[in-house]
Amino acid sequence: MRLKKCMTKLLLLLAAAWCLTGCSIFKEDFVEGVQIRELENHLEQWQQELPKDTEFGGIGAHEIRGLKVQKKGKTVFAVSYEPRKGKETFDYWDISVPYHSLVSVNTEELYNLLGTAALMVWGETDGVSMEEAGITDSGTSLFLAYCEQGQAEKGGAEPTGAKSILIGDTDGKGSYYAAMEGSSKVGLVNQILMDEILNAEPYEYILKIPALISVDTVKKVQILSGEKKYLMEQDKESWKMDGEKVSQKDYQTLYGALLDVMLTGEIDENVKSEEEREPVLTLQFIRNSEELSDMEVKYYSCDESRMSVSVNGQERFFVEKDAVFALKERIETSF
């Protein structure tokens, strides 16, 4: 009898300890620290290695594989076609500057911009020199990598050539003076079209979600909400939430909700650094291949209506606070 009472007390103590540690017996299944890899892109390589086209003239929007805008020698916008394992074809475009290839591109809007680049019509000048045109190697420039016509469709083949267009002053008649890198011949290019490219706002060319991560590339999702921890696991034939088997539909419905918080704007300089705050919600996507980088999404309080979101340490956007708390509630009621 005494032994039975001792066993009962022991079980009660274990149960109490289980609840005090967040009511989860699956903490030991959490991966300690996500494995984040910096994503590479090929723009610098293309700029150095591709044969340079020094002829004036446009190229088709669907032929373009990379675009980079520099002002005063500093890159302000860079986008390139980067097929990667674990991504669908519609998500192959990367904005490396300023978003470190961590957001998904709105390809419809991007191809509108590339169409603007394709519309550029060049005019001739009457013996204007590079100096008179205000053209320098360290000024404003536009780099385009492209796949030769006949090989290129919308995406697909690797680039085969490149144009580096150096932009100078305006001529006062609606055009910029411009020259191809490697040539001293100065031409004219439409100012309105060129300004649309040079002043492109990167935020306009992204899908307004923090991260797009295919469920098929993830083996675990670790969720930290305050003191609580939740674990989602899957393999080819099994779906679990905190160790309990669930249907594929229920699993993927919740997974979709994790990605459904919408961006509302770009961050400003008044947001504090991550080191000074605790995240309200953390989502860690542990991938099922060593070739893929894990993804970590954190939400931080900012003011009464907004939170900031950090993706793999890059904190660049705002979301609605209500949307994050709605997600937290959705998570808690799903487990």
Side-chain angles (χ1 to χ4, degrees):
M1 181 67 70
R2 181 174 296 178
L3 178 61
K4 185 175 181 180
K5 287 183 179 180
C6 289
M7 289 297 295
T8 301
K9 287 182 179 180
L10 179 60
L11 289 172
L12 288 172
L13 287 172
L14 288 172
W18 170 60
C19 288
L20 288 173
T21 56
C23 295
S24 174
I25 59 173
F26 301 102
K27 282 189 175 182
E28 63 269 22
D29 293 330
F30 267 58
V31 175
E32 292 298 328
V34 292
Q35 300 299 313
I36 294 174
R37 299 178 182 178
E38 186 173 348
L39 297 175
E40 297 180 352
N41 71 86
H42 293 88
L43 272 172
E44 295 298 327
Q45 177 185 342
W46 292 343
Q47 197 161 10
Q48 294 175 13
E49 298 179 0
L50 287 175
K52 296 294 193 304
D53 181 352
T54 59
E55 296 296 321
F56 294 149
I59 51 181
H62 292 173
E63 298 170 29
I64 296 174
R65 295 293 179 272
L67 178 151
K68 180 163 72 172
V69 175
Q70 289 188 300
K71 294 182 177 180
K72 297 181 179 179
K74 179 182 178 182
T75 302
V76 295
F77 182 44
V79 59
S80 54
Y81 190 75
E82 305 282 354
R84 300 185 191 279
K85 182 177 179 179
K87 283 194 171 189
E88 302 294 335
T89 54
F90 71 87
D91 196 30
Y92 279 170
W93 285 94
D94 280 0
I95 296 178
S96 51
V97 179
Y99 299 140
H100 303 273
S101 303
L102 294 174
V103 295
S104 293
V105 174
N106 184 330
T107 53
E108 182 177 353
E109 291 298 326
L110 177 63
Y111 274 106
N112 288 336
L113 181 67
L114 300 183
T116 300
L119 287 174
M120 288 190 298
V121 177
W122 291 80
E124 296 184 355
T125 60
D126 188 16
V128 177
S129 69
M130 297 278 279
E131 185 177 1
E132 291 170 329
I135 297 173
T136 66
D137 291 333
S138 59
T140 299
S141 66
L142 172 64
F143 172 76
L144 296 170
Y146 63 91
C147 182
E148 291 176 331
Q149 192 173 14
Q151 299 182 37
E153 295 180 358
K154 199 170 184 177
E158 292 284 325
T160 56
K163 292 178 181 286
S164 290
I165 306 169
L166 308 178
I167 311 298
D169 299 330
T170 62
D171 70 345
K173 300 177 183 179
S175 297
Y176 280 111
Y177 291 114
M180 307 302 295
E181 186 179 50
S183 170
S184 60
K185 183 181 178 181
V186 176
L188 296 170
V189 65
N190 184 277
Q191 184 177 347
I192 294 175
L193 295 179
M194 183 58 74
D195 277 341
E196 187 173 338
I197 301 169
L198 297 180
N199 299 321
E201 294 289 343
Y203 186 72
E204 295 179 5
Y205 300 98
I206 66 172
L207 297 177
K208 303 305 186 285
I209 54 177
L212 183 61
I213 308 162
S214 172
V215 67
D216 294 332
T217 68
V218 175
K219 66 179 179 181
K220 291 185 179 183
V221 184
Q222 302 182 159
I223 304 171
L224 297 89
S225 179
E227 296 298 319
K228 299 177 181 179
K229 289 185 176 183
Y230 305 97
L231 181 63
M232 299 174 66
E233 301 171 280
Q234 69 168 0
D235 55 34
K236 291 181 179 180
E237 299 179 353
S238 174
W239 300 268
K240 295 179 181 178
M241 293 166 58
D242 270 359
E244 296 290 334
K245 286 189 176 182
V246 296
S247 69
Q248 181 182 14
K249 180 180 178 181
D250 287 346
Y251 184 97
Q252 293 188 351
T253 297
L254 178 59
Y255 185 91
L258 300 180
L259 307 179
D260 203 31
V261 176
M262 303 298 290
L263 306 180
T264 58
E266 287 196 271
I267 213 162
D268 57 40
E269 297 179 356
N270 297 321
V271 177
K272 296 179 180 179
S273 65
E274 288 189 16
E275 289 76 15
E276 300 175 3
R277 299 163 297 156
E278 289 295 323
V280 173
L281 179 66
T282 299
L283 309 174
Q284 297 174 332
F285 298 85
I286 311 302
R287 311 301 274 272
N288 56 21
S289 170
E290 293 183 357
E291 298 178 48
L292 301 175
S293 173
D294 293 342
M295 300 290 286
E296 184 174 59
V297 180
K298 295 182 178 181
Y299 295 96
Y300 295 92
S301 288
C302 291
D303 53 38
E304 292 182 356
S305 62
R306 300 181 301 177
M307 288 190 179
S308 67
V309 56
S310 164
V311 179
N312 284 5
Q314 297 294 323
E315 190 176 1
R316 304 199 63 95
F317 304 108
F318 287 120
V319 298
E320 288 187 359
K321 180 174 284 188
D322 287 348
V324 177
F325 278 108
L327 176 57
K328 282 168 62 70
E329 183 177 353
R330 174 74 175 273
I331 292 167
E332 291 176 7
T333 57
S334 297
F335 281 84

